[in-house]
Amino acid sequence: QVQLVESGGGLVQPGGSLRLSCAASGRIFSINAMGWYRQAPGKQRELVAAITSGGSTNYADSVKGRFTISRDNAENTMYLQMNSLKPEDTAVYYCNAEVFRPYRTTPSNYWGQGTQVTVSS
């Protein structure tokens, strides 16, 4: 099995910063795309940022210029640096990964349990 564990969430004032981490472990041959999603109360889950194994990135328009996604392929870890946080960034943030397990020819999709980010004064 594969586990994704997020960390780094918390309470921060508007304008502040947080860094989220997502560590993947288990039976992993390689990881293709990884991404951060978020879900605010009463809203659908939305893509925040994604990164390929080669390092190509894309961002939601609402976070461009404020958030930076990165990954360490050797450590199977992904990060989200969040700067200039706004109250509307408040949500549960989820890690997602497309994982190739040993001896499998197609990848499987995995989710973390989520970490709460609250931006409030």
Side-chain angles (χ1 to χ4, degrees):
Q1 260 294 11
V2 174
Q3 297 82 37
L4 302 181
V5 178
E6 302 102 334
S7 61
L11 173 65
V12 64
Q13 292 187 341
S17 298
L18 282 175
R19 189 191 194 210
L20 304 183
S21 299
C22 170
S25 62
R27 292 178 56 79
I28 297 171
F29 177 74
S30 67
I31 300 178
N32 195 10
M34 300 184 78
W36 289 99
Y37 290 73
R38 66 186 181 188
Q39 186 166 21
K43 294 189 177 181
Q44 289 190 331
R45 190 174 297 190
E46 63 175 359
L47 175 67
V48 176
I51 185 168
T52 68
S53 57
S56 297
T57 60
N58 69 283
Y59 297 90
D61 287 343
S62 59
V63 307
K64 282 180 181 176
R66 300 188 298 121
F67 291 9
T68 302
I69 189 172
S70 61
R71 63 189 283 178
D72 182 336
N73 290 332
E75 298 293 329
N76 289 333
T77 302
M78 175 178 64
Y79 305 96
L80 185 69
Q81 178 66 43
M82 304 186 294
N83 298 328
S84 302
L85 282 160
K86 304 175 181 180
E88 51 263 43
D89 295 317
T90 296
V92 178
Y93 283 70
Y94 296 91
C95 168
N96 176 268
E98 192 177 62
V99 178
F100 282 93
R101 295 171 64 188
Y103 312 112
R104 302 289 178 91
T105 57
T106 57
S108 298
N109 204 259
Y110 294 91
W111 291 91
Q113 81 289 350
T115 185
Q116 177 70 46
V117 171
T118 302
V119 184
S120 175
S121 55

